[in-house]
Amino acid sequence: MHDQQDSDGPGQDSQTFYNKLITSVPGILYTFWASADGSKQRFPYVSQRVNDWFGLEPETLQKSADGLFGIVHPDDLAGILESIQTSALDLTVWKHCARLKLTSGEYQWFEGYSEPERLSDGSTLWYGQFHNIQQYKELEQSLRESEAEHSYQAGFQKLIADLSKEFINLHFGTIDECINELLKNIGQFFGVDRAYLFTFTDNYQFMANTHEWVNPGVSALMDRQQNVYIGCLQWWQQQISGMVSHNKVVFIPDASALPDIAAGERELLERRGVCSMFAVPVKVRGRVTGFFGVDSLRQRRWREDQGDLLIIVSGLLSGALERHNLEQKLLSQSIRDPLTGLHNRRYLMPRLYEMLGRAARNQETFAVAMFDIDHFKQINDSLGHLAGDYVLTEIAGILEQQTRGMDVVARFGGEEFVVAYSLEQSDDVGRMVARILQAVRDHNFRYESFPIEVTVSAGIAAVTDLPKIPSSPDPVIGKADRYLYLAKQAGRDCFVDASGTYRI
């Protein structure tokens, strides 16, 4: 049976799908190969953006890297070659900045970062990315025109570089930690009292404070700023419109001087002790999804370029959130069945290990119920595989409706499903499984006007059925599978557990 893919998942042309995902990652992803003697170099893989930015065909670079070296600024080429040689010799991380020529003929600054790996033939393969840092270089140049700004600029650039490195090397599950660290560093650098991140709902009628840093002695507000209705704040809605349509930075130099149309906003800010603030739009995949802001609780003089500096910080946040969303989508696809949308075995097994751990530590009990669709092959053979897919998705929906949020529902493979029940003392897993069998029997299965009679069989194994708590979920799953087999042998449309066979 061939599983039908979700509309937003990888279809038959999975390479095209993943190429689209790669284009969502800021910068250019690549692998770079150099022979053992350094005489041959090429890019076995380089993302399509190399053509958009530099007019270089990925297929050409796959044969030889000369095309890319040909667009490096003459003053930077020797440094790049030397750094590559050093990285290959010592197998150290390669990181370098250089100017590259765009299709317009203009040189702009780029930074590359990659990890080397020695291959069996003595050659070296690097995995990495490089991205445009021109805006940081331009900012550096403009600030250095003033000697008094030099120290400030150096500190800001170091901060941005450090934060950029953190986000570039971001690992799964660390996005919140990295954002909190960014807010802390930015807040301290600019000498503000609060730094924070808000997200909007799709209709911009509500906003929620997702991350916050406050100076010592300043009251934290995040817990009180969840699901805040802003549809009634006319002036703020106008500012949001400016963020969305023109990427506008909202600057309030004096909250007490807001116009009468912003009376509600003025009262809200004064109640929170805010004298002045900035709010900078944060975009994810080209859409404003929220804003990054800083507050001052006292009157102060802001830098003329304060908004520009905060835009750079907002850009870091936008890039990190885009990458995080992409990674979460890829992660979700890796742990979900593309046909039914249920979790798959890759997600199920770690959850069962967690349940085993709680059973060993806290004497918490759980049970595994394995379900199998009766005579499923006959459905496929008589009505076709699309009808079989329909039945699978309907069964998945019934399982989700008949289970609790604390239970884990997964497609185990083929026409088999597993529900892992976390059990309290009063829970009757047999009754919960019986409800599922009854719900399947009562469900109106109809494919292209053809009614389909569907029943399921089940086997239930509790961890307490075993002589001792096992080190892996396999004995529990194996016992549930054995009981499922007995239910099939008993005539189907029933379930079997340690105490026997039950029919509805």
Side-chain angles (χ1 to χ4, degrees), residues 453-469:
E453 184 176 339
V454 180
T455 60
V456 296
S457 303
I460 307 171
V463 69
T464 52
D465 294 342
L466 303 174
K468 65 177 183 178
I469 295 174

Side-chain angles (χ1 to χ4, degrees), residues 485-497:
Y485 173 79
L486 294 176
K488 293 286 189 180
Q489 294 297 106
R492 298 180 172 84
D493 193 21
C494 63
F495 72 85
V496 174
D497 61 13

Side-chain angles (χ1 to χ4, degrees), residues 45-165:
Y45 172 79
V46 61
S47 52
Q48 182 62 34
R49 194 171 280 129
V50 75
N51 181 261
D52 301 336
W53 287 356
F54 309 119
L56 300 175
E57 295 291 341
E59 294 79 8
T60 302
L61 294 176
Q62 288 170 7
K63 299 175 183 177
S64 171
D66 290 346
L68 193 135
F69 289 130
I71 64 169
V72 176
H73 193 283
D75 294 343
D76 301 336
L77 182 58
I80 282 187
L81 296 176
E82 182 180 351
S83 66
I84 292 173
Q85 185 178 14
T86 300
S87 177
L89 183 64
D90 302 333
L91 285 183
T92 53
V93 170
W94 180 80
K95 183 178 180 181
H96 200 79
C97 298
R99 289 162 288 182
L100 303 180
K101 184 187 291 186
L102 304 178
T103 53
S104 64
E106 174 192 4
Y107 281 99
Q108 288 196 2
W109 282 96
F110 288 79
E111 182 181 66
Y113 180 94
S114 59
E115 300 269 358
E117 175 187 343
R118 184 82 73 223
L119 303 185
S120 59
D121 62 354
S123 62
T124 308
L125 185 66
W126 286 263
Y127 303 83
Q129 73 170 133
F130 59 91
H131 57 282
N132 191 306
I133 60 170
Q134 181 66 23
Q135 59 178 328
Y136 306 133
K137 289 291 185 178
E138 290 176 351
L139 178 60
E140 176 184 355
Q141 181 61 34
S142 65
L143 291 179
R144 282 186 176 177
E145 292 174 358
S146 170
E147 186 63 30
E149 293 274 284
H150 179 74
S151 177
Y152 189 93
Q153 169 61 18
F156 182 72
Q157 287 300 310
K158 183 178 186 308
L159 176 60
I160 293 299
D162 291 344
L163 293 173
S164 296
K165 182 176 180 181

Side-chain angles (χ1 to χ4, degrees), residues 226-496:
Q226 302 301 310
N227 200 35
V228 179
Y229 177 61
I230 55 175
C232 59
L233 300 176
Q234 183 179 353
W235 182 84
W236 182 233
Q237 285 293 319
Q238 292 174 358
Q239 308 314 304
I240 293 174
S241 178
M243 289 186 187
V244 172
S245 58
H246 303 297
N247 205 35
K248 176 185 174 184
V249 175
V250 179
F251 175 42
I252 303 176
D254 184 356
S256 65
L258 283 171
D260 290 341
I261 192 178
E265 291 87 336
R266 182 173 61 238
E267 179 186 352
L268 185 66
L269 293 174
E270 289 178 345
R271 195 162 61 239
R272 285 158 171 71
V274 178
C275 287
S276 58
M277 64 165 287
F278 276 89
V280 186
V282 171
K283 288 186 174 182
V284 175
R285 302 199 67 151
R287 183 180 182 277
V288 173
T289 59
F291 66 93
F292 156 65
V294 294
D295 291 347
S296 176
L297 305 188
R298 65 193 188 283
Q299 291 295 334
R300 62 173 285 172
R301 288 188 61 185
W302 296 91
R303 293 170 56 91
E304 291 185 5
D305 63 350
Q306 187 71 57
D308 295 332
L309 299 179
L310 293 175
I311 285 175
I312 293 175
V313 179
S314 176
L316 284 179
L317 284 169
S318 295
L321 290 170
E322 281 198 23
R323 175 178 166 183
H324 173 69
N325 287 354
L326 172 63
E327 290 175 343
Q328 289 300 114
K329 186 173 184 178
L330 291 172
L331 176 62
S332 177
Q333 290 170 352
S334 73
I335 61 175
R336 286 195 179 273
D337 172 51
L339 174 63
T340 64
L342 295 180
H343 286 111
N344 58 21
R345 190 182 302 198
R346 181 180 293 178
Y347 178 86
L348 172 68
M349 297 307 286
R351 304 293 81 77
L352 291 177
Y353 272 103
E354 292 171 4
M355 290 179 171
L356 285 172
R358 292 195 295 271
R361 292 190 305 271
N362 308 323
Q363 290 73 55
E364 296 182 19
T365 187
F366 70 93
V368 170
M370 182 170 287
F371 298 85
D372 186 272
I373 302 173
D374 297 328
H375 304 296
F376 185 69
K377 186 176 184 299
Q378 293 180 16
I379 296 173
N380 279 335
D381 291 346
S382 60
L383 296 176
H385 288 273
L386 291 180
D389 289 349
Y390 160 76
V391 171
L392 288 169
T393 56
E394 292 294 295
I395 293 292
I398 292 171
L399 289 173
E400 288 188 310
Q401 292 168 5
Q402 297 294 328
T403 51
R404 307 161 299 179
M406 62 193 294
D407 303 324
V408 180
V409 183
R411 184 180 178 190
F412 200 67
E415 64 267 31
E416 290 185 338
F417 299 83
V418 164
V419 178
Y421 293 95
S422 295
L423 301 178
E424 303 290 343
Q425 191 171 8
S426 60
D427 288 335
D428 184 347
V429 67
R431 183 176 301 172
M432 291 187 280
V433 169
R435 281 204 306 266
I436 292 174
L437 268 63
Q438 185 66 53
V440 172
R441 186 188 295 172
D442 294 342
H443 189 74
N444 181 23
F445 291 89
R446 184 173 292 274
Y447 179 74
E448 293 184 349
S449 77
F450 292 100
I452 308 174
E453 184 176 339
V454 180
T455 60
V456 296
S457 303
I460 307 171
V463 69
T464 52
D465 294 342
L466 303 174
K468 65 177 183 178
I469 295 174
S471 59
S472 84
D474 293 346
V476 187
I477 294 174
K479 185 169 281 291
D481 192 34
R482 173 62 182 168
Y483 287 151
L484 172 61
Y485 173 79
L486 294 176
K488 293 286 189 180
Q489 294 297 106
R492 298 180 172 84
D493 193 21
C494 63
F495 72 85
V496 174

